[in-house]
Amino acid sequence: MARGAEPAGERRRCGSVVAYFTSAKFLLYLGHALSTWGDRMWHFAVSVFLVELYGNSLLLTAVYGLVVAGSVLLLGAIIGDWVDKNSRLKVAQTSLVVQNASVILCGIILMVIFLFKTQLLTLYHGWLLTMCYILVITIANIANLASTATAITIQRDWIVVIAGEDRSKLADMNATIRRIDQLTNILAPVAVGQIMTFGSPMIGCGFISGWNLMSMCVEYLLLWKVYQKTPTLALKSAKVEESELKQLNVKKESDMKPAEGVQLIVEKDVTGFEPQQEKEMSCSARIAEPFITFRDGWVAYYNQPVFLAGMGLAFLYMTVLGFDCITTGYAYTQGLSGSVLSLLMGASAVTGIMGTVAFTWLRRKCGLVRTGLISGVAQFACLVLCAVSVFMPGSPMDLTVSPFADISARLFESEPLPAITSPEDKPEVFFTTEMPNLLNGSTTLANSNPEMSPEPVPLLSVSLLFAGVIAARVGLWSFDLTVTQLLQENVVESERGIINGVQNSMNYLLDLLHFIMVILAPNPEAFGLLVLISVSFVAMGHIMYFRFAQKTLGKQLFSCRTPDPKVSDSSPTGNTSTV
């Protein structure tokens, strides 16, 4: 009898494994991993390509970063509104195809430029080559906008629907998505960097184009499978009571027919019926519609009960305390080698994953809102080390040196940039003057004179700086997941797209300001001042979140208790609600 029970147990275990690997949740993870891997490879490579093409100048990369940031800032609300107004499958598939097709086309154009750059320079006095550069930046920007739409619809909407009313499942799914992001942030640039090192930039372009073509087909199929396995994805709120909406695009009551519950958006698409009012919309009204959407989107974002929490997250983007190109370039000026930096980046990925684990544990123990408070305190405490590092031996900070001196020379010097092996989810703008030569495998500074060996710099300051940055990742990613879930839980379904679109715009706005801050003070002597400003903005962001938590929980704010699994403390009114 015991022998017969063993095969039955084995079959059940095998059945459970098969069921998991064919579940909508796992298929969503797989599609996200493929998408993120392609994104990280492209974001890393495109900046290197632009530097290589423009004679090792920073101009094209800077222009690309500013165009990307400005586009999301201006179009975030409009993209989100488009997500809200169309069926989920249509939005996901359209943004997927546009994103990957744009990257493939960019890769092909870059290959042509690499092959025929000399000939293109002689045609029409070089204007044809200039048009190619403009075309590459434009198409790459379209790819980024489509990627933004994909992130909004999958990470802010589909996940919520798949998790259903189980908020613990939603938290676990959010944490898993972030772990995938952390791993691909490190591994994808390393992979494409090796291809570019041992091959050539043109081979790198071809590999990325081929990857995106293959990935697009697989992701398209995975999206369809997830959609089929989750029937509720076909349901989308068509009308919610006005008291819940506080929403944009409100039509006159005379033009709206009363409706209850939900409707199938796909049915509206199939019938092709449009109200007479839309058909007869004047040209001026159509022109004004995007501006009205932009205005109403920002007003709706401001009126959200989680507005302060979202603003708190956005303020964390106004910082140089991350593993982006700016901090990496500063590390090179302080004597850190490429191998040491790669190890530090690996450590930052580990602490980031630890942050996702801490989020799920803290949420179970203390509730969602308190998790954000604890994460914020942890992050700020670690960043105090960064502030202290400014005054330690080895710090180059010298306030007697004008931070505005020689801005033009520093920005557009014709030398390579500092190497990056793991770009963040930010525009790849480089504001430093030298870098290791990525494309020939060298880890020494390009154009450096071996006879002029610099004096050794004390490492205490830079060690404290990176210790604080790496340790702060635990609190940073836990806080990021907290605000993400607060937006998922407290924004009504019909507003998820536009509110998250505006949130992306806010993130890019503060990120753009941090790059402008570096442009104004690019010399290493001013980096300490940038660190202090960054810590101040992080503090302001967490103060905003504290105010949100105080409004939400009231007197129970510091009562860290084990919550009932059926009760959430993230209600914007401060009252608990049954799931």
Side-chain angles (χ1 to χ4, degrees):
M1 184 172 181
R3 292 180 180 176
E6 289 181 6
E10 289 289 336
R11 284 194 296 270
R12 281 195 297 271
R13 282 193 292 272
C14 290
S16 299
V17 171
V18 172
Y20 175 76
F21 284 113
T22 57
S23 65
K25 183 168 69 171
F26 176 78
L27 296 177
L28 189 73
Y29 293 156
L30 182 58
H32 179 71
L34 289 171
S35 176
T36 308
W37 185 277
D39 278 352
R40 297 302 179 270
M41 285 198 305
W42 171 247
H43 289 158
F44 170 77
V46 67
S47 297
V48 179
F49 292 153
L50 292 176
V51 172
E52 182 76 9
L53 284 173
Y54 206 65
N56 291 333
S57 170
L58 312 179
L59 180 59
L60 283 183
T61 311
V63 170
Y64 169 66
L66 292 175
V67 167
V68 165
S71 297
V72 177
L73 176 61
L74 295 175
L75 302 177
I78 296 170
I79 291 171
D81 186 56
W82 174 74
V83 171
D84 286 333
K85 289 181 177 179
N86 292 276
S87 67
R88 290 187 172 99
L89 186 61
K90 176 184 176 182
V91 168
Q93 291 179 337
T94 302
S95 55
L96 171 69
V97 171
V98 171
Q99 177 191 357
N100 285 276
S102 299
V103 172
I104 292 168
L105 183 57
C106 257
I108 294 171
I109 295 173
L110 286 169
M111 290 173 69
V112 171
I113 295 175
F114 276 120
L115 278 173
F116 303 106
K117 183 179 179 181
T118 306
Q119 293 88 326
L120 291 172
L121 273 171
T122 60
L123 294 174
Y124 302 103
H125 304 287
W127 280 104
L128 185 58
L129 183 60
T130 301
M131 291 303 299
C132 288
Y133 291 152
I134 294 173
L135 189 61
V136 167
I137 291 175
T138 302
I139 298 174
N141 184 47
I142 292 172
N144 185 72
L145 293 174
S147 177
T148 301
T150 301
I152 291 173
T153 189
I154 300 297
Q155 298 181 38
R156 301 294 189 268
D157 187 31
W158 282 47
I159 284 181
V160 180
V161 176
I162 292 171
E165 296 184 347
D166 189 342
R167 297 188 177 185
S168 294
K169 182 179 179 181
L170 178 60
D172 291 337
M173 292 184 71
N174 284 328
T176 303
I177 289 292
R178 284 296 181 274
R179 289 168 196 148
I180 293 171
D181 291 341
Q182 288 294 310
L183 290 173
T184 53
N185 271 340
I186 296 295
L187 299 178
V190 170
V192 73
Q194 294 304 309
I195 293 170
M196 293 162 61
T197 297
F198 296 104
S200 67
M202 192 178 69
I203 293 175
C205 290
F207 176 79
I208 292 174
S209 296
W211 173 274
N212 277 271
L213 179 61
M214 179 200 69
S215 177
M216 178 176 64
C217 299
V218 176
E219 288 177 59
Y220 197 93
L221 177 62
L222 290 173
L223 285 174
W224 175 248
K225 287 290 184 183
V226 172
Y227 191 80
Q228 283 184 319
K229 288 177 178 290
T230 313
T232 48
L233 285 172
L235 301 173
K236 203 168 186 180
S237 289
K239 180 174 165 52
V240 184
E241 292 183 5
E242 188 175 351
S243 60
E244 287 183 61
L245 281 177
K246 299 186 183 78
Q247 166 73 323
L248 39 106
N249 297 332
V250 179
K251 298 181 180 179
K252 294 180 180 179
E253 292 184 4
S254 59
D255 295 328
M256 298 203 49
K257 297 182 180 179
E260 296 289 339
V262 296
Q263 72 177 12
L264 278 172
I265 296 295
V266 289
E267 291 180 0
K268 183 184 77 173
D269 294 340
V270 170
T271 58
F273 173 77
E274 294 182 358
Q276 189 68 21
Q277 179 187 358
E278 293 185 8
K279 290 183 178 179
E280 296 177 356
M281 184 182 295
S282 65
C283 181
S284 59
R286 289 185 183 278
I287 295 174
E289 187 178 8
F291 299 97
I292 295 173
T293 300
F294 177 85
R295 181 202 64 192
D296 291 345
W298 284 84
V299 170
Y301 177 75
Y302 175 77
N303 290 328
Q304 290 297 313
V306 290
F307 165 71
L308 286 175
M311 284 292 293
L313 177 63
F315 265 59
L316 303 191
Y317 282 74
M318 177 67 176
T319 177
V320 295
L321 301 175
F323 277 92
D324 60 359
C325 46
I326 294 166
T327 310
T328 304
Y330 172 75
Y332 272 104
T333 68
Q334 299 305 294
L336 294 187
S337 65
S339 60
V340 171
L341 273 175
S342 64
L343 291 175
L344 293 177
M345 290 178 178
S348 74
V350 172
T351 54
I353 293 173
M354 288 170 60
T356 64
V357 175
F359 164 74
T360 55
W361 184 82
L362 284 172
R363 184 194 165 278
R364 284 195 300 268
K365 296 294 182 181
C366 300
L368 185 59
V369 173
R370 295 184 190 87
T371 297
L373 281 175
I374 297 169
S375 303
V377 170
Q379 183 192 6
F380 184 75
C382 294
L383 292 182
V384 169
L385 289 175
C386 301
V388 172
S389 74
V390 172
F391 306 100
M392 290 292 104
S395 172
M397 188 174 78
D398 185 359
L399 297 182
T400 62
V401 177
S402 172
F404 307 104
D406 300 327
I407 291 178
S408 299
R410 289 184 178 274
L411 277 178
F412 303 118
E413 227 175 286
S414 298
E415 295 181 7
L417 327 174
I420 308 172
T421 59
S422 174
E424 302 285 347
D425 288 339
K426 295 181 176 183
E428 294 299 311
V429 189
F430 301 83
F431 296 110
T432 47
T433 58
E434 293 184 337
M435 76 177 270
N437 196 335
L438 277 178
L439 301 182
N440 63 16
S442 172
T443 57
T444 59
L445 287 177
N447 300 335
S448 60
N449 189 345
E451 298 179 359
M452 298 176 60
S453 57
E455 296 181 2
V457 179
L459 296 179
L460 178 59
S461 175
V462 73
S463 299
L464 281 176
L465 175 69
F466 279 97
V469 170
I470 292 171
R473 311 287 285 184
V474 177
L476 170 65
W477 285 106
S478 180
F479 183 79
D480 176 85
L481 285 167
T482 299
V483 177
T484 295
Q485 187 152 343
L486 283 169
L487 288 167
Q488 290 170 333
E489 292 182 3
N490 293 285
V491 175
V492 294
E493 183 181 343
S494 58
E495 291 184 292
R496 281 179 196 153
I498 195 160
I499 296 303
N500 282 285
V502 175
Q503 180 66 51
N504 281 347
S505 296
M506 279 301 307
N507 296 345
Y508 269 92
L509 173 61
L510 272 297
D511 189 42
L512 185 60
L513 291 178
H514 118 267
F515 279 115
I516 293 174
M517 178 175 68
V518 177
I519 291 175
L520 295 177
N523 49 316
E525 292 82 5
F527 190 80
L529 183 61
L530 302 185
V531 169
L532 296 177
I533 294 174
S534 299
V535 174
S536 301
F537 268 84
V538 170
M540 285 189 284
H542 290 307
I543 289 171
M544 291 180 186
Y545 184 85
F546 177 81
R547 181 57 181 155
F548 159 77
Q550 192 178 42
K551 283 183 176 181
T552 303
L553 299 180
K555 295 181 180 180
Q556 297 181 353
L557 179 61
F558 299 105
S559 174
C560 192
R561 53 175 174 75
T562 302
D564 188 316
K566 290 188 177 181
V567 175
S568 167
D569 66 356
S570 64
S571 172
T573 61
N575 300 322
T576 56
S577 58
T578 303
V579 175

